[in-house]
Amino acid sequence: MKFNVNLKAGISIEIVFEGENKDNRVLTYAKDKDLFSGKLGEVYSYLPFDGDKQIFVGLGKKEELKEDEVREVFFKLVKVLLTNKEYEAQVEVPSIEHVDKNTFVKALVEGSLHATYRFDKYKTDKKELPEITINILTNKDISEDIKEAEAVIEGIFFARDLVNERAEYLYPETLADIAKSELSPLGVEVDVYDEKQCEELGLKGLLAVGRASERKPRFIVMKYLNNKNDNEVIGLVGKGVTYDTGGYSIKPTANSMDIMHCDMGGAGTVLGTMKLIATRKIKKNVIAVVGACENMVSGNSYKPGDIIPTLSGKTVEVLNTDAEGRITLADSVYYVTNELKVNKVIDLATLTGACLVALGEVYTGAVTNNQEFYNELSQAAKSAGERVWQMPADDSFRKLNKSSVADIKNTGGRLGGTITAGLFIEYFVANNVPWIHLDIAGTAYLSKPEKYLPKGATGIHVKTLYNLLNK
């Protein structure tokens, strides 16, 4: 898809707000016939009228328009263009008091590009998507806004492709190879530790979870240090379980296992974010860590009832081998906060079914030890159109993780499962570093499309993290 500035060509897209009157015969006709009123998301095509082709797009009440609604409307518009085989269009950016034109343009570009995503690499009869050109008419300089929006979508699509990829082709070693090949040329220092090196580092939790698989764990450390004048380093940690059977606590049905290639959704978001911030060359210092492994079943599997050590020296009583992600995160979070000494850390993980029960596929669940830090992330998420809901977290929940035979157990039971899982990870945050846990079990991989997000991988929170890091 191409975007041009102030080039008048192609079918005319007319933006209409609800209740707005315009001197346009087609619009008057459509309103009189109750075909179009300007309500949010309405699209009315009139092809042609007196030789002119026009598409009317409703943005609802002008004073209530939100940035994310612009994304959704232009996503729908591009679908209409494709249906009508119209591959070039022009649109004038409207004047809106509370949404500046640069913000509008970025949302327009993002929404339009969302409509082009496909994961069809394994289809033999796939058809190339026709190239669409949108010419944007405005009196402001928007070239940089277009470039930024294109980079954001590239990072999101990169994350989606990783999470949609099947475990036959994406496993710890190949994930590490992709991190090197994609990020190193952008100036990100990527270090990959194999199984023997993980043993030397003391990553005993990660190794325990991954030891049953023939495809051995990899520990991936990505460093983007682009501000020598700033001592602050932000840590990102992504759950990287590239396939999850549940181990000996095996998942109950094949239907719950066939999408478990998506259990590295946190890693996908982290890699997508690193690609985006490096492409945009933002002036920040960020270190990202992914402990990649497969949770398989064999005679060498870790078992319910086992007590396993971790990098921190703390021990974990394993009650459920399908609560494996938090064990790998225990090592990863401790490593980035204690060994690499980041100042703040965010972990992202497809962690609990309990989050799906609580928040569906709509909201990401969040647990934090620092309200100020969370408030910053919450604002970044709101601007991104990515919904996050903070969970309560106090000692009433922490005590559910207490073990009688080890330092902590890896499940606090069914009640409050999203919270206790997050607080398990908190137990391994070193030096009281400000920390946020994002449970993306419901939002990273959808069972059906939602707004401009497709079925399958969403690339959730690449934009949130970019907004947070780029302020």
Side-chain angles (χ1 to χ4, degrees), residues 40 122 162 171 221-222 259 307 398 404 443:
L40 183 67
Y122 297 113
L162 288 173
Y171 44 90
V221 179
M222 297 155 277
I259 63 168
I307 297 175
R398 290 184 182 92
S404 61
T443 52

Side-chain angles (χ1 to χ4, degrees), residues 300-328:
N300 191 38
S301 299
Y302 80 123
K303 304 169 292 299
D306 283 353
I307 297 175
I308 59 175
T310 64
L311 173 63
S312 68
K314 298 170 182 176
T315 57
V316 176
E317 179 188 9
V318 178
L319 298 184
N320 185 336
T321 60
D322 196 23
E324 85 298 332
R326 66 199 70 180
I327 298 175
T328 69

Side-chain angles (χ1 to χ4, degrees), residues 71-79 111-112 114-115 451-452:
R71 296 186 188 101
E72 189 173 357
V73 166
F74 277 88
F75 169 84
K76 185 176 181 179
L77 174 65
V78 170
K79 296 292 188 183
S112 301
H114 273 297
K451 296 170 62 175
Y452 47 78

Side-chain angles (χ1 to χ4, degrees), residues 334-381:
Y334 185 80
Y335 184 85
V336 80
T337 55
N338 192 69
E339 306 300 322
L340 300 180
K341 301 191 183 304
V342 299
N343 304 101
K344 298 176 181 176
V345 64
I346 301 168
D347 79 80
L348 303 97
T350 49
L351 207 64
T352 67
C355 197
L356 269 163
V357 173
L359 302 175
E361 295 182 332
V362 179
Y363 278 80
T364 291
V367 179
T368 186
N369 67 358
N370 188 288
Q371 193 61 45
E372 183 179 353
F373 187 29
Y374 175 78
N375 290 344
E376 293 176 16
L377 180 129
S378 178
Q379 186 58 45

Side-chain angles (χ1 to χ4, degrees), residues 74-142:
F74 277 88
F75 169 84
K76 185 176 181 179
L77 174 65
V78 170
K79 296 292 188 183
V80 170
L81 291 174
L82 289 169
T83 299
N84 287 289
K85 297 183 179 179
E86 294 288 343
Y87 304 132
E88 186 169 16
Q90 65 177 24
V91 59
E92 185 173 356
V93 179
S95 294
I96 308 169
E97 281 190 16
H98 65 287
V99 180
D100 67 69
K101 290 189 176 183
N102 300 88
T103 299
F104 188 97
V105 166
K106 285 189 278 191
L108 179 161
V109 173
E110 288 176 21
S112 301
L113 288 171
H114 273 297
T116 68
Y117 182 77
R118 293 178 175 181
F119 185 77
D120 58 0
K121 64 185 290 187
Y122 297 113
K123 284 185 172 289
T124 56
D125 61 346
K126 61 185 175 184
K127 297 179 181 179
E128 291 296 322
L129 193 69
E131 183 170 78
I132 292 178
T133 299
I134 296 182
N135 301 308
I136 305 172
L137 311 179
T138 181
N139 58 0
K140 295 196 74 173
D141 182 6
I142 59 169

Side-chain angles (χ1 to χ4, degrees), residues 220-275:
I220 309 165
V221 179
M222 297 155 277
K223 297 179 180 179
Y224 174 81
L225 306 175
N226 196 34
N227 193 341
K228 295 179 181 179
N229 298 320
D230 188 352
N231 293 325
E232 183 177 75
V233 181
I234 306 296
L236 303 178
V237 177
K239 176 183 172 183
V241 178
T242 57
Y243 191 74
D244 180 23
T245 65
Y248 274 119
S249 305
I250 196 162
K251 294 183 183 294
T253 66
N255 288 340
S256 63
M257 215 181 289
D258 61 354
I259 63 168
M260 280 298 104
H261 58 274
C262 79
D263 211 18
M264 42 64 67
T269 292
V270 165
L271 265 68
T273 302
M274 293 301 284
K275 181 170 185 175

